[in-house]
Amino acid sequence: YNSAIIGSNGLMSFEVVNATGGCDWEFTDLCPSPNLHVNSIFGVYHDIDPAVCGDASYAILGTSPCRVFVVNFNDICQYSCNSITSSSQIVIYETTNVIEVYVQDKPTCGVWNNGNAVIGIQDASGTSGFVAPGRQTGPWSASNEAWRFTPDGVPNFEVEWFDDQGSIGTGTTVSVCPGEA
């Protein structure tokens, strides 16, 4: 993907056709579900209100092909519980497609949407997804934790080894003999 959208309720999605729409706050479905935002990363998806306090921001760090895309949700008020705030981060690594979710603080606002929140990822159809253990849709709190989602399957990269003379091999391992003096 070369485009993404950031949802104001703690998620990011690659469904850029939704860029002018809202970010649903009410949900009870478990991940995966086509009723949740599809093709998305739920960094702590729950009803938060950056219009009241806190902010959401993003940055692209590094140089291609080893860039990192970072989305920050910093001290954002929870909707209907403006006295409590949440802070979390989504990090995506270019080339490896590793996704990390960091949670500094996520208290529960039980008086709104049953306190529902979820940390996970799901595909474009909403039929395949993965959730951090203990972080499925429901009321839960978290502090100072991190989750990593790592691709599993056929690699989409090739490894080639070089020395000052040029290519010396391909694959994830290479045999090297010290040169003669």
Side-chain angles (χ1 to χ4, degrees), residues 50-134:
V52 174
C53 75
D55 60 45
S57 62
Y58 74 92
I60 300 172
L61 309 171
T63 23
S64 180
C66 298
R67 293 174 292 194
V68 180
F69 185 75
V70 180
V71 181
N72 294 302
F73 298 95
N74 188 41
D75 285 324
I76 299 179
C77 289
Q78 291 197 24
Y79 190 85
S80 194
C81 294
N82 295 153
S83 63
I84 59 176
T85 63
S86 295
S87 293
S88 62
Q89 183 178 69
I90 299 170
V91 179
I92 304 173
Y93 295 88
E94 184 177 32
T95 307
T96 64
N97 297 320
V98 168
I99 299 166
E100 293 172 339
V101 173
Y102 296 95
V103 182
Q104 181 179 8
D105 194 32
K106 190 271 176 214
T108 299
C109 174
V111 299
W112 188 256
N113 194 34
N114 298 314
N116 285 340
V118 62
I119 295 175
I121 59 176
Q122 74 172 1
D123 69 356
S125 66
T127 58
S128 179
F130 300 93
V131 174

Side-chain angles (χ1 to χ4, degrees), residues 20-61:
T20 59
C23 186
D24 297 335
W25 57 268
E26 185 176 23
F27 63 95
T28 57
D29 291 279
L30 301 178
C31 178
S33 170
N35 295 323
L36 296 174
H37 291 273
V38 296
N39 211 10
S40 294
I41 301 168
F42 305 125
V44 174
Y45 175 34
H46 60 141
D47 196 10
I48 53 180
D49 195 350
V52 174
C53 75
D55 60 45
S57 62
Y58 74 92
I60 300 172
L61 309 171

